[in-house]
Amino acid sequence: SVILTRPAIVCADQSTTDPAASVSQDPLAGATDILNSAFDDFNADKAQQALTEFHAAADAYEKVQGSKETAEFAQCLGGEGLCLSKLGRDDDAVSSFESAAKILKRVHKDQDDPDLATMLMNEAWSLGNLRQYDKALPIGQAALEMQKRLSNGQDAPEVALSMSNVADYLVALDREKESLPLYQSSLEMKRRIHNGQDDPDIATTATNVGFCL
């Protein structure tokens, strides 16, 4: 499934819960309030409402920062992509994720970044939803390799999920033999992360391992 990341932004304390009023009092903190509200609504399965808020947050950040070339603006685009995918508009979601990833690459000067890895992963996910597995595979692999570097070889939920996703794309391309070691590594990591406890995702990955044997 799609990983949802919240922006790594510290919100200033606000005396009002009205986003429009917040922007007028402290524009940057107000934009962040709108963005955080959008993520909250997305998590509450209010994708259409969240989409409107992500648009508003993007407009607010561009006005305050005077540029679209910022990590915050990219987060807004990524949020829009999540909503669009949830609403069954994966063609549009791919464009949002791709635009966000390009901005983050420029912002971070092509250096590894957790949000960039997530944007690539989500772009691949939407391409997979469109059954464009040949396009999803290299993007998903790039996300996985970046997440591995960022985790310094340690177990991480995003690495385990990316391994499963890349394996899914390989299976869809009739490359089951290549997918098996990824599924197995993902399964082992998920078991370690969950300390051997049962989890639906573990069960799914175990089933996929069996399928490829």
Side-chain angles (χ1 to χ4, degrees):
S1 59
V2 172
I3 282 182
L4 172 62
T5 57
R6 298 185 67 87
I9 305 169
V10 178
C11 292
D13 290 335
Q14 298 293 328
S15 59
T16 175
T17 57
D18 179 5
S22 295
V23 170
S24 66
Q25 292 179 12
D26 185 338
L28 185 58
T32 299
D33 281 347
I34 300 172
L35 181 57
N36 285 338
S37 177
F39 276 113
D40 287 340
D41 282 332
F42 178 83
N43 282 328
D45 290 326
K46 300 177 182 177
Q48 188 61 58
Q49 181 174 331
L51 180 60
T52 300
E53 291 173 312
F54 281 123
H55 283 314
D59 289 342
Y61 275 122
E62 183 180 3
K63 183 177 180 180
V64 173
Q65 298 174 316
S67 173
K68 296 181 179 180
E69 293 290 303
T70 66
E72 293 85 359
F73 190 88
Q75 279 281 356
C76 295
L77 290 179
E80 290 176 12
L82 291 171
C83 294
L84 291 166
S85 181
K86 188 82 169 179
L87 295 168
R89 297 167 56 187
D90 279 293
D91 275 321
D92 294 326
V94 168
S95 296
S96 291
F97 291 134
E98 183 178 21
S99 296
K102 287 180 178 178
I103 291 172
L104 289 173
K105 285 179 181 178
R106 291 191 291 267
V107 167
H108 297 290
K109 303 185 186 302
D110 288 320
Q111 298 298 305
D112 290 346
D113 173 73
D115 288 336
L116 173 55
T118 297
M119 294 301 175
L120 293 172
M121 182 181 176
N122 290 345
E123 181 184 351
W125 176 261
S126 283
L127 285 166
N129 288 342
L130 294 169
R131 300 183 182 277
Q132 297 179 21
Y133 304 112
D134 56 331
K135 294 181 180 179
L137 180 59
I139 297 172
Q141 288 172 324
L144 173 57
E145 293 307 311
M146 188 178 297
Q147 288 166 335
K148 285 181 176 179
R149 292 191 297 269
L150 288 166
S151 68
N152 294 314
Q154 301 298 308
D155 291 344
E158 61 272 17
V159 174
L161 181 54
S162 274
M163 285 193 288
S164 287
N165 286 355
V166 170
D168 289 344
Y169 308 145
L170 288 167
V171 169
L173 293 169
D174 297 321
R175 296 165 62 178
E176 287 86 355
K177 290 184 178 179
E178 295 174 65
S179 70
L180 179 57
L182 282 170
Y183 278 138
Q184 290 173 324
S185 294
S186 176
L187 178 59
E188 292 168 1
M189 186 176 293
K190 288 173 182 176
R191 283 173 172 165
R192 291 192 298 270
I193 290 171
H194 291 281
N195 296 314
Q197 300 298 309
D198 291 337
D199 181 83
D201 196 31
I202 291 175
T204 298
T205 306
T207 299
N208 291 340
V209 168
F211 173 79
C212 294
L213 288 174

